[in-house]
Amino acid sequence: QVQLVESGGGSVQPGGSLRLSCASSESIFSITRMGWYRQTPGKQRELVATITTGGSTNYADSVKGRFTVSRDNAKNTVYLQMNSLKPEDTAVYYCHALYYYLDYWGQGTQVTVSS
């Protein structure tokens, strides 16, 4: 079992920045891949960014150049730095972990981008 706890969501104006954190109950050395997904009402959950144990990253086209995913192995935490936020980035953001072929999700954190 992996427990994931997100933090850092909130409201920000367009062009602003936020940093999301995801703390894992398991050592992230043993987690194959971690990342962030987001979901808006009536839509499917979509990939935002992922990072593997080896540090390889993958981003949705819509966030490339604006968002950065990173990990702090000592703190068992993955981050999502979000810059140049747009209203269309408004969503509930979920942390995800792929651990021994099983998917684990955090409870989600709301990000609202509005003037």
Side-chain angles (χ1 to χ4, degrees):
Q1 279 277 15
V2 177
Q3 294 184 343
L4 304 171
V5 179
E6 301 114 332
S7 60
S11 295
V12 64
Q13 292 187 341
S17 298
L18 283 173
R19 189 177 79 156
L20 305 182
S21 300
C22 174
S24 169
S25 62
E26 291 290 329
S27 168
I28 63 174
F29 276 118
S30 61
I31 299 177
T32 304
R33 185 175 69 238
M34 295 189 70
W36 295 91
Y37 290 69
R38 65 187 181 188
Q39 190 170 23
T40 55
K43 292 188 177 181
Q44 286 190 329
R45 195 170 294 187
E46 63 175 8
L47 179 146
V48 176
T50 61
I51 185 166
T52 67
T53 304
S56 297
T57 58
N58 182 45
Y59 295 92
D61 287 342
S62 59
V63 307
K64 282 180 181 176
R66 300 188 298 122
F67 291 11
T68 303
V69 62
S70 62
R71 56 196 293 157
D72 185 332
N73 293 333
K75 295 183 178 180
N76 290 326
T77 299
V78 172
Y79 303 98
L80 184 68
Q81 178 66 44
M82 304 185 292
N83 299 329
S84 302
L85 282 161
K86 304 175 181 180
E88 50 264 43
D89 294 318
T90 296
V92 178
Y93 283 71
Y94 295 91
C95 182
H96 170 263
L98 178 63
Y99 181 64
Y100 286 98
Y101 306 107
L102 296 178
D103 294 302
Y104 294 90
W105 296 93
Q107 80 284 358
T109 185
Q110 176 71 45
V111 171
T112 301
V113 185
S114 174
S115 56

